[in-house]
């Protein structure tokens, strides 16, 4: 399974503040109007890159808001001249940038709900992830900006005029620092999140043909039940024309305690079918001859509890001593007559009842060939 970070830097939505940071810094060296034009140009190019660049396309809502604000200021400056004094220009850009940020933050529940609905319609978690990242960014920048404005308010209330140093710190250096700190805090957050999730198991999301179309946390395959199709490997074990069956573990979400074939697991994200088979067999029957394993059928199974694409295999065991392993010692060999006597009585798992006729046909055919 891949060990790459769960979130890339593209999910750091505070990178959308780069155009306004560029404008504030450039204003220290060039005229106000030119710095606005350059910042707007940087924002426009960056926006195009997020929409049409290579790799995963992750739209940055805050970048588009910042770029729109700078384009509007560019037009205003072009018509009416400078929008503020040179001294107050950084603070003006900070306030202008924070207006759409605060609007998104105040409507975060509605904004997030809309993106989650889009995620469910398209079977892509990207919508929800980028919306959550944007909400986190707005929260961080609002907190930092609040501390800045609180400092401005307190300083203004102090008796006497502001010193030159205080004025420079509050109105020249703090505005870009607000956005730079936001970028840094969000990036540290992404790095910490990736570190925590590094060893978290993921399962693939597939279609009915087995094509991988996404991934989800393994725990979501249990909690979200049948929202997505997840691949599951099931391995039946036969010996001398009989099936080895055992009760399903109590931790199972589906048919816990009912009698079933002995091996079943979710395929992990980034894991091949062969790797998943080896992992499953080694856990249950470490000494089993994997080379005797045979693929049978792939079918889609869905009910109110689960939604899975099942890969069914049969492992023929010659030595019944392998069936006494401590991992599966609670099972026993069943004849087809015994199984058929209990079918339809809520005794076996629903998957096994679907698979039984096929398993019986394959095993009986194989036993006939053994006679020759």
């Amino acid at each position: 399974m891949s060990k790459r970070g769960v979130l890339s830097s593209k999910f750091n939505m505070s990178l959308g503040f780069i155009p306004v940071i560029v404008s504030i810094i450039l204003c220290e060296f060039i005229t106000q109007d030119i710095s606005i034009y350059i910042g707007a140009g940087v924002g426009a190019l960056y926006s195009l890159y997020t929409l049409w660049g290579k790799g995963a396309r992750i739209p940055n809502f805050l970048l588009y808001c910042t770029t729109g604000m700078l384009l509007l200021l560019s037009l205003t400056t072009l018509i009416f001249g400078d929008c503020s004094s040179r001294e107050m220009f950084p603070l003006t850009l900070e306030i202008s940038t924070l207006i759409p940020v605060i609007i998104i933050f105040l409507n975060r529940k509605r904004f997030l709900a809309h993106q989650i609905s889009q995620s469910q319609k398209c079977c892509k978690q990207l919508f929800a992830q980028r919306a959550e990242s944007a909400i986190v960014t707005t929260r961080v920048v609002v907190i930092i900006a609040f501390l800045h404005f609180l400092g401005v308010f307190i300083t203004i209330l102090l008796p006497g005029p502001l010193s030159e140093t205080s004025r420079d710190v509050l109105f020249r250096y703090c505005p870009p620092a607000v956005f730079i700190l936001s970028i840094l805090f969000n990036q540290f957050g992404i790095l910490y999140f990736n570190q925590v999730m590094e060893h978290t198991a993921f399962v693939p999301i597939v279609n009915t043909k087995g094509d991988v179309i996404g991934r989800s946390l393994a725990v979501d395959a249990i909690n979200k039940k049948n929202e997505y199709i997840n691949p599951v490997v099931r391995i039946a074990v036969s010996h001398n024309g009989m099936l080895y069956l055992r009760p399903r573990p109590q931790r199972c979400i589906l048919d816990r305690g009912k009698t079933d074939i002995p091996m079943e697991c979710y395929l992990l994200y980034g894991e091949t079918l062969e790797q998943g088979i080896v992992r499953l067999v080694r856990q249950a029957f470490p000494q089993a001859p994997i080379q005797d394993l045979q693929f049978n059928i792939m079918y889609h199974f869905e009910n109110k509890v689960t939604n899975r694409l099942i890969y069914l295999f049969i492992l023929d065991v010659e030595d019944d001593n392998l069936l006494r392993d401590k991992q599966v010692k609670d099972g026993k060999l069943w004849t087809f007559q015994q199984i058929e006597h209990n079918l339809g009585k809520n005794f076996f798992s629903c998957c096994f009842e679907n698979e039984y006729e096929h398993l019986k046909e394959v095993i009986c055919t194989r036993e006939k060939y053994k006679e020759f």
Side-chain angles (χ1 to χ4, degrees):
M1 185 172 59
S2 175
K3 296 296 182 182
R4 292 178 299 174
V6 177
L7 290 179
S8 72
S9 295
K10 291 183 179 180
F11 283 95
N12 187 348
M13 293 295 168
S14 57
L15 293 174
F17 299 135
I18 288 178
V20 73
I21 295 173
V22 170
S23 292
I24 293 175
I25 293 176
L26 287 180
C27 187
E28 296 291 326
F29 309 101
I30 59 178
T31 59
Q32 183 181 133
D33 55 346
I34 300 299
S35 65
I36 293 177
Y37 301 153
I38 293 176
V42 170
L45 292 175
Y46 190 9
S47 298
L48 292 175
Y49 172 76
T50 62
L51 294 174
W52 292 304
K54 295 181 180 180
R57 296 176 183 176
I58 304 177
N60 190 320
F61 306 105
L62 301 183
L63 171 63
Y64 307 148
C65 292
T66 300
T67 302
M69 180 273 296
L70 288 173
L71 289 173
L72 183 60
L73 281 180
S74 297
L75 181 61
T76 303
T77 302
L78 187 64
I79 298 175
F80 301 105
D82 291 345
C83 57
S84 69
S85 65
R86 187 180 184 88
E87 183 184 46
M88 298 299 295
F89 178 69
L91 187 63
T92 301
L93 285 186
E94 180 186 357
I95 294 173
S96 301
T97 303
L98 287 174
I99 290 174
V101 169
I102 293 174
I103 291 175
I104 293 175
F105 179 72
L106 293 177
N107 295 275
R108 57 189 179 278
K109 291 183 179 179
R110 187 181 304 173
F111 175 73
L112 187 58
H114 173 71
Q115 295 301 320
I116 291 176
S117 67
Q118 293 298 314
S119 172
Q120 294 172 344
K121 289 178 182 178
C122 303
C123 292
K124 293 182 179 179
Q125 293 182 301
L126 193 59
F127 291 96
Q129 286 181 335
R130 69 187 186 185
E132 290 170 354
S133 299
I135 297 301
V136 170
T137 297
T138 59
R139 182 178 289 109
V140 171
V141 74
V142 165
I143 292 173
I144 298 174
F146 172 77
L147 294 176
H148 174 214
F149 291 125
L150 181 63
V152 172
F153 180 74
I154 293 175
T155 305
I156 291 176
L157 291 180
L158 294 176
L162 291 177
S163 65
E164 190 68 24
T165 301
S166 298
R167 191 178 298 274
D168 286 342
V169 170
L170 291 175
F171 301 118
R172 290 177 59 191
Y173 306 138
C174 280
V178 167
F179 300 116
I180 292 173
L181 287 174
S182 174
I183 293 175
L184 294 176
F185 276 118
N186 279 280
Q187 193 59 40
F188 285 141
I190 288 175
L191 292 174
Y192 176 73
F193 179 81
N194 288 341
Q195 184 178 9
V196 171
M197 301 295 287
E198 185 178 5
H199 302 291
T200 300
F202 288 83
V203 294
I205 298 171
V206 300
N207 57 26
T208 54
K209 296 180 181 179
D211 300 321
V212 178
I213 59 175
R215 69 177 180 178
S216 65
L217 289 170
V219 69
D220 286 345
I222 299 174
N223 295 335
K224 294 189 177 180
K225 296 183 179 179
N226 56 357
E227 289 188 18
Y228 306 113
I229 302 175
N230 301 117
V232 171
V233 176
R234 285 172 54 83
I235 302 177
V237 176
S238 66
H239 172 71
N240 289 339
M242 296 181 288
L243 275 170
Y244 185 81
L245 305 177
R246 63 188 290 256
R248 289 176 64 82
Q250 291 298 319
R251 65 178 180 275
C252 293
I253 63 168
L254 179 67
D255 294 335
R256 61 172 61 94
K258 293 185 179 180
T259 301
D260 195 8
I261 60 179
M263 290 181 280
E264 175 186 289
C265 73
Y266 283 97
L267 198 64
L268 298 178
Y269 183 79
E271 184 179 52
T272 65
L273 189 57
E274 290 76 14
Q275 291 170 337
I277 292 168
V278 171
R279 173 172 58 84
L280 179 56
V281 174
R282 289 292 177 250
Q283 288 175 352
F285 296 95
Q287 306 302 320
I290 295 181
Q291 65 273 11
D292 295 336
L293 195 70
Q294 294 183 353
F295 172 72
N296 278 259
I297 55 173
M298 177 186 76
Y299 69 97
H300 178 220
F301 178 84
E302 180 180 4
N303 61 14
K304 293 181 180 180
V305 179
T306 189
N307 190 0
R308 47 181 66 180
L309 186 70
I310 296 177
Y311 296 88
L312 178 64
F313 293 80
I314 296 181
L315 177 64
D316 187 49
V317 175
E318 295 291 340
D319 184 4
D320 62 351
N321 288 323
L322 296 176
L323 304 179
R324 298 187 178 93
D325 190 277
K326 62 181 181 179
Q327 298 292 335
V328 290
K329 63 181 180 180
D330 55 345
K332 68 175 185 176
L333 287 167
W334 289 65
T335 65
F336 294 131
Q337 184 179 4
Q338 290 173 321
I339 293 173
E340 290 168 3
H341 180 72
N342 290 280
L343 286 175
K345 297 181 179 180
N346 202 31
F347 183 80
F348 297 111
S349 73
C350 50
C351 288
F352 177 73
E353 297 215 350
N354 286 338
E355 299 160 353
Y356 172 69
E357 290 298 333
H358 177 79
L359 291 172
K360 178 182 177 182
E361 181 180 352
V362 171
I363 294 172
C364 287
T365 302
R366 189 162 55 190
E367 290 299 312
K368 289 180 181 179
Y369 277 104
K370 286 183 179 180
E371 296 176 359
F372 297 99

